[in-house]
Amino acid sequence: MLSKSQISLLRSLQNKKDRTEQSLFLVEGLKSVIEFIHSAYQIGAIYYTGAFDPKVLKLSQKINLCEISVTEMEKVSSLKTPQQIIAAVSIPNWPALDNTQLKQKFTLVLDGIQDPGNMGTIIRTADWFGMQHIICSDDTVDVYNPKVVQASMGSLSRINVHYSSLAAIIPQIKLPVYGAMLSGENIYDTDFGPEGLIVMGNEGSGLRRDVEKLISRAITIPRKGRAESLNVAIATALFCSEIVRKSFK
């Protein structure tokens, strides 16, 4: 049984300010919780309802397990239909990004992405295509937002996400900078080479002017229909897919 203060704490983790103060975030659902158990993240506690058998977690580390009621789960969950398990996970203090880690690789750079669903999908896409790092502008949605964590389906446990001023950090990395633009070089004719930064812009306004100035090559996904633009998560997946496809040639 949870105390009122415990319920209040867990509920507060839906807010960025409280996540930062407590250095905790929530992971919901069996698949995602297992992914984080077997990652470098530290699990503070796991809460589950009586219908769930914690033995399926096959824990190899000492983790505080707490059985709670369905009503309590509904109070602490961020989901309309709560699942049977939720974990409180410590927010790590990742070391500063070492630019040498980005050599001979492609890295996503996100300029002002605001939608948690898009962010989670982009993280999952990066994981699928073997990318290890994502660099975000300071105003990009918080990666530990419950909706981001949920949409990433556990992939967040394998992706290092860094927040920084893009105008400051991009010139320091000294790699080719490819920007997703409405007009530019056809993505299907582009030779991306062995490394680079792939910069994706805000859902509504695209790349900011100070970031756009740093683009080495503007790249576009050719349009045949009449849609005004592509969803940023879908556009990111197309970029990742094309880069990986060409790497196999």
Side-chain angles (χ1 to χ4, degrees):
M1 183 175 179
L2 294 176
S3 66
K4 289 184 178 180
S5 62
Q6 287 175 310
I7 291 174
S8 178
L9 170 62
L10 293 173
R11 284 177 61 88
S12 74
L13 299 182
Q14 296 182 34
N15 304 312
K16 181 179 180 179
K17 176 176 177 291
D18 294 294
R19 288 194 297 273
T20 302
E21 288 181 355
Q22 300 296 331
S23 291
L24 290 171
F25 69 101
L26 297 180
V27 177
E28 304 193 48
L30 177 59
K31 180 185 181 299
S32 293
V33 169
I34 288 176
E35 297 277 16
F36 278 91
I37 288 174
H38 299 296
S39 74
Y41 282 81
Q42 296 298 310
I43 311 297
I46 291 175
Y47 305 90
Y48 65 95
T49 64
F52 179 81
D53 183 357
K55 292 180 181 178
V56 304
L57 297 174
K58 297 180 181 179
L59 299 178
S60 59
Q61 54 181 297
K62 291 184 179 179
I63 296 175
N64 179 30
L65 296 174
C66 181
E67 182 177 343
I68 63 176
S69 68
V70 172
T71 299
E72 289 173 324
M73 184 66 79
E74 291 172 346
K75 289 180 179 178
V76 301
S77 173
S78 64
L79 303 176
K80 290 183 179 179
T81 305
Q83 302 193 39
Q84 296 175 339
I85 182 171
I86 188 169
V89 182
S90 296
I91 295 176
N93 290 316
W94 297 122
L97 178 64
D98 180 355
N99 293 343
T100 61
Q101 296 176 321
L102 308 183
K103 299 293 185 181
Q104 298 300 305
K105 297 175 183 175
F106 285 92
T107 299
L108 292 175
V109 178
L110 307 180
D111 184 15
I113 301 302
Q114 296 298 304
D115 183 82
N118 283 338
M119 184 67 180
T121 301
I122 289 171
I123 292 170
R124 193 175 176 187
T125 298
D127 186 24
W128 177 268
F129 287 104
M131 295 185 179
Q132 300 171 333
H133 299 272
I134 296 176
I135 301 171
C136 302
S137 62
D138 289 321
D139 63 343
T140 290
V141 62
D142 179 26
V143 73
Y144 299 116
N145 178 303
K147 292 181 180 178
V148 175
V149 177
Q150 188 71 20
S152 78
M153 294 294 291
S155 286
L156 177 58
S157 66
R158 289 180 291 274
I159 301 292
N160 296 318
V161 182
H162 311 269
Y163 286 82
S164 182
S165 164
L166 299 188
I169 196 171
I170 289 176
Q172 297 175 14
I173 296 175
K174 300 186 186 307
L175 288 175
V177 183
Y178 301 92
M181 311 280 282
L182 287 177
S183 61
E185 185 178 342
N186 188 324
I187 188 174
Y188 302 117
D189 297 330
T190 302
D191 179 1
F192 287 96
E195 59 186 0
L197 304 178
I198 308 299
V199 188
M200 311 300 297
N202 172 269
E203 290 91 341
S205 55
L207 299 179
R208 275 173 281 215
R209 188 68 61 85
D210 60 345
V211 175
E212 189 175 330
K213 290 178 180 177
L214 302 173
I215 300 300
S216 308
R217 294 167 72 178
I219 309 297
T220 190
I221 298 167
R223 175 178 63 177
K224 288 196 68 175
R226 299 176 63 185
E228 182 180 344
S229 62
L230 272 177
N231 172 275
V232 65
I234 292 175
T236 302
L238 289 172
F239 266 82
C240 292
S241 178
E242 185 64 11
I243 288 168
V244 170
R245 184 185 71 83
K246 288 178 176 174
S247 73
F248 286 120
K249 284 188 174 181

